[in-house]
Amino acid sequence: MEEQKSTVRAVERALDILLCFTEATNLGLSEIASRLDLHKSTVHRLLATLEAKGFVIRNPQTEKYRLGYRVWELSANLTHPDDPAILVLPEMERLRDLVGETISLYVRDGLERVRIQAVQSNHPVRRVAPIGARMPLTVGASSKVLVAYADPEIQQEVLSEQNWPDNIDRQAFSQQLEQIRKQGYATSVEERELGTAALSAPIFNHNGKMVAALAISGPSNRLTAEKMTEYAIPMIEAATRMGNMVQ
């Protein structure tokens, strides 16, 4: 039993090492050990195994590690033709061409939202949206949409979050949820980042289940309150068409 526990612990630590690279491209042994609060010797052994299997690559000049090609091989099988992130991409591009801003697709994972698809704005100054980025459900238009249409238990869990952001009023956030359900979309201005704004609408499948949140984001001096009101209708229409495509 102890041997089994040790094996599981090693697997968890190896996965934690790989997850470190969601926040940085190149990391050294000491950096990884510090992030995970592990001994360097432990991290070194795990990195050696990951390197041997092709999941990380070590630069002999800098002694830093980066993700290996095995990760890309796995990611090639991540999406399928019937994957929502693939199915709705043409509609996202169509919406981007119409409004000129960055379009993102989010799903809820626990108490976080994850960007699973994005189409970047063509403007020189734009809101860059990396796929795979995780954000808390307490901040931003898409977060509010995902919470507003979630089960009451999820809503209560989010509203009871201990690490609530100082710049967001908890009671005001709660009151916004009902308004979002009435008008069909949410907005945010400089909630997560200074100088940015966003609006978001839910995507419902054939069964009426919310499967994702569609968002338009950009610089707040360009994505003004008037513009967000103007873009809300085409965004909701796009979300409706997307909902007809997914299960």
Side-chain angles (χ1 to χ4, degrees), residues 10 36 58 85 98 103 121 138 152 179 183 207 234 238:
L36 300 180
R58 182 177 63 88
L98 180 64
I103 310 299
S121 166
T138 52
Q179 180 62 30
Q183 68 181 15
N207 298 319

Side-chain angles (χ1 to χ4, degrees), residues 71-88:
V71 175
W72 301 115
E73 289 179 37
L74 288 175
S75 67
N77 293 318
L78 179 61
T79 58
H80 301 276
D82 59 349
D83 190 304
I86 300 299
L87 288 173
V88 304

Side-chain angles (χ1 to χ4, degrees), residues 44-146:
H44 184 268
R45 287 196 303 271
L46 293 169
L47 282 169
T49 301
L50 290 170
E51 184 179 10
K53 292 291 185 180
F55 285 95
V56 297
I57 297 174
R58 182 177 63 88
N59 186 322
Q61 279 74 44
T62 63
E63 293 296 323
K64 287 184 177 289
Y65 294 83
R66 63 180 174 85
L67 291 177
Y69 298 115
R70 281 288 184 183
V71 175
W72 301 115
E73 289 179 37
L74 288 175
S75 67
N77 293 318
L78 179 61
T79 58
H80 301 276
D82 59 349
D83 190 304
I86 300 299
L87 288 173
V88 304
L89 186 56
E91 278 293 340
M92 294 179 67
E93 292 173 340
R94 178 180 174 181
L95 183 60
R96 185 273 313 276
D97 294 341
L98 180 64
V99 303
E101 302 294 352
T102 295
I103 310 299
S104 299
L105 191 69
Y106 295 94
V107 296
R108 183 179 65 83
D109 184 19
L111 295 182
E112 294 180 310
R113 58 180 163 113
V114 183
R115 184 183 293 117
I116 62 171
Q117 186 61 277
V119 179
Q120 309 296 343
S121 166
N122 291 325
H123 286 292
V125 178
R126 58 188 177 184
R127 175 76 173 82
V128 177
I131 296 174
R134 286 177 172 269
M135 286 146 275
L137 285 177
T138 52
V139 179
S142 296
S143 290
K144 286 184 277 191
V145 164
L146 292 170

Side-chain angles (χ1 to χ4, degrees), residues 211-232:
V211 294
L214 175 66
I216 301 173
S217 61
S220 54
N221 63 349
R222 197 165 65 221
L223 199 55
T224 61
E226 292 77 16
K227 282 294 183 183
M228 286 196 282
T229 300
E230 176 186 339
Y231 294 161

Side-chain angles (χ1 to χ4, degrees), residues 3-57:
E3 183 179 350
Q4 183 179 10
K5 287 182 180 179
S6 178
T7 301
V8 172
R9 188 160 55 247
V11 172
E12 289 177 343
R13 287 173 173 174
L15 292 173
D16 285 339
I17 289 175
L18 292 176
L19 289 173
C20 285
F21 292 94
T22 61
E23 301 174 356
T25 304
N26 297 279
L27 291 169
L29 173 62
S30 298
E31 293 174 282
I32 297 173
S34 176
R35 286 171 182 245
L36 300 180
D37 194 23
L38 294 173
H39 292 295
K40 289 184 182 179
S41 58
T42 300
V43 174
H44 184 268
R45 287 196 303 271
L46 293 169
L47 282 169
T49 301
L50 290 170
E51 184 179 10
K53 292 291 185 180
F55 285 95
V56 297
I57 297 174

